[in-house]
Amino acid sequence: MREPIPQSRHVLKEEGKCLEMSVNCSLWQENSLSVKRFAFAKFSEVPGECFLLFTLILLMFLVSLTGNTLIALAICTSPSLHTPMYFFLANLSLLEIGYTCSVIPKMLQSLVSEARGISWEGCASQMFFFIFFGITECCLLAAMAFDRYMAICSPLHYATRMSRGVCAYLAIVSWVMGCIVGLGQTNFIFSLNFCGPCEIDHFFCDLPPLLALACGDTSQNEAAIFVAAVLCIFSPFLLIISSYVRILVAVLVMPSPEGRHKALSTCSSHLLVVTLFYGSTSATYLRSKSSHSPGVDKLLALFYTSVTSMLNPIIYSLRNKEVKGALRRTLGLKKVLTMKR
């Protein structure tokens, strides 16, 4: 077992550099140490890099919030978009808002202020919501792939097999699955003993960097993370692949080029989002512990928490005439209401 470290002290840098803080993150109890606070590692030693990174992340965060909010509003206020595909897209947009809000604000705070610390309870809450929204997104992407499969491969039975009740059931199962996995993994991780050091070498309270701080044997936790990743990340991905293989087979036997193009165009946005999301998350959670690198993990985390959430509304709006039309009407309605006020 590692020697307990009673205090993790960070020296303040001169103005213009990333600020650090003195964090009393430990509490002696008899002969053992229990960490009550954590602190996120500094982002950079180079002056000005923290401010540059803060600006980039803030811009991506604002674009993500604005884009996902507008898409959700456009779908809710446009009766023509009250279809299964857009129902799942609205869920995805709301999910992306929660996903980014669970991580980015604290990340931004730690970049430009001395408050890089986070309480034990705050870290547990952040981890729960991050896992909750992440697993829910995996399940929702699988539900969206199933919807495209039914629309292209069984168009005559699509209306009955993808009824409102079925869509609501698939969405509820996705959210409940995320909640169950989030609660289970968070409880399992925070049942471990953290005896120091308390500095998390990451942007937020993610699973691998927190496991690295735990005392004692963490092999069971690592196995649980891998099993959860296989069941809740890899299994939905297999369902997505299976759906698109069948879609491709159905498209290839269509007689007209126009029909093939129309069928594939309805799937292209979803395929691109799946590639971005699953590419980064699989590289993070399906790798062995020995292959993990803090630098690579940070880049991947920044990608799937900021970049993909920003790109999703852009991908769905730019490649979809119906969404673009609904967004124009939504923005026009906002202008009219503003003028009346």
Side-chain angles (χ1 to χ4, degrees), residues 208 222 225-226 229 280-298 300:
E222 293 164 17
I225 291 172
F226 184 78
S280 54
T281 53
S282 298
T284 300
Y285 298 106
L286 292 178
R287 287 186 297 152
S288 62
K289 183 181 179 182
S290 59
S291 64
H292 278 277
S293 166
V296 174
D297 288 348
K298 287 179 183 179
L300 288 171

Side-chain angles (χ1 to χ4, degrees), residues 67-327:
N68 284 298
T69 301
L70 285 175
I71 284 183
L73 284 174
I75 292 172
C76 291
T77 57
S78 301
S80 61
L81 298 185
H82 291 176
T83 62
M85 181 174 72
Y86 295 112
F87 168 76
F88 290 123
L89 179 56
N91 272 266
L92 185 65
S93 296
L94 294 174
L95 183 150
E96 291 288 3
I97 293 171
Y99 192 59
T100 53
C101 287
S102 67
V103 173
I104 303 299
K106 185 63 180 176
M107 186 190 301
L108 293 172
Q109 181 190 26
S110 65
L111 274 170
V112 293
S113 76
E114 298 179 27
R116 292 194 299 107
I118 186 170
S119 66
W120 188 93
E121 294 81 5
C123 192
S125 299
Q126 188 183 64
M127 178 178 285
F128 163 73
F129 284 110
F130 172 73
I131 298 172
F132 169 47
F133 291 119
I135 296 300
T136 303
E137 180 161 358
C138 291
C139 297
L140 272 178
L141 289 174
M144 293 172 79
F146 178 72
D147 169 69
R148 291 299 82 208
Y149 160 72
M150 293 301 301
I152 295 172
C153 299
S154 301
L156 297 179
H157 305 286
Y158 178 69
T160 54
R161 293 182 180 177
M162 293 301 294
S163 63
R164 288 188 177 183
V166 172
C167 293
Y169 174 77
L170 291 173
I172 290 170
V173 168
S174 299
W175 288 94
V176 170
M177 184 65 69
C179 184
I180 292 172
V181 175
L183 285 173
Q185 288 291 336
T186 304
N187 181 66
F188 205 23
I189 292 292
F190 282 88
S191 63
L192 294 170
N193 183 31
F194 296 93
C195 57
C198 68
E199 188 176 69
I200 302 172
D201 193 12
H202 207 49
F203 298 147
F204 57 94
C205 294
D206 200 3
L207 294 166
L210 268 173
L211 271 183
L213 299 181
C215 302
D217 183 22
T218 61
S219 58
Q220 290 185 348
N221 299 83
E222 293 164 17
I225 291 172
F226 184 78
V227 170
V230 169
L231 292 177
C232 301
I233 297 178
F234 191 62
S235 295
F237 183 66
L238 286 180
L239 178 59
I240 293 170
I241 295 297
S242 174
S243 298
Y244 276 108
V245 167
R246 296 185 180 186
I247 288 172
L248 183 60
V249 172
V251 168
L252 289 176
V253 298
M254 289 181 177
S256 66
E258 293 80 7
R260 289 195 294 270
H261 176 74
K262 184 178 179 180
L264 290 175
S265 64
T266 62
C267 303
S268 58
S269 298
H270 180 256
L271 269 175
L272 187 53
V273 169
V274 167
T275 303
L276 292 172
F277 181 77
Y278 271 98
S280 54
T281 53
S282 298
T284 300
Y285 298 106
L286 292 178
R287 287 186 297 152
S288 62
K289 183 181 179 182
S290 59
S291 64
H292 278 277
S293 166
V296 174
D297 288 348
K298 287 179 183 179
L299 286 175
L300 288 171
L302 187 61
F303 188 83
Y304 62 72
T305 55
S306 301
V307 179
T308 58
S309 296
M310 176 192 69
L311 291 178
N312 285 358
I314 297 174
I315 291 169
Y316 277 108
S317 59
L318 288 179
R319 301 181 64 86
N320 193 305
K321 293 180 180 179
E322 292 177 317
V323 173
K324 284 193 287 187
L327 285 173

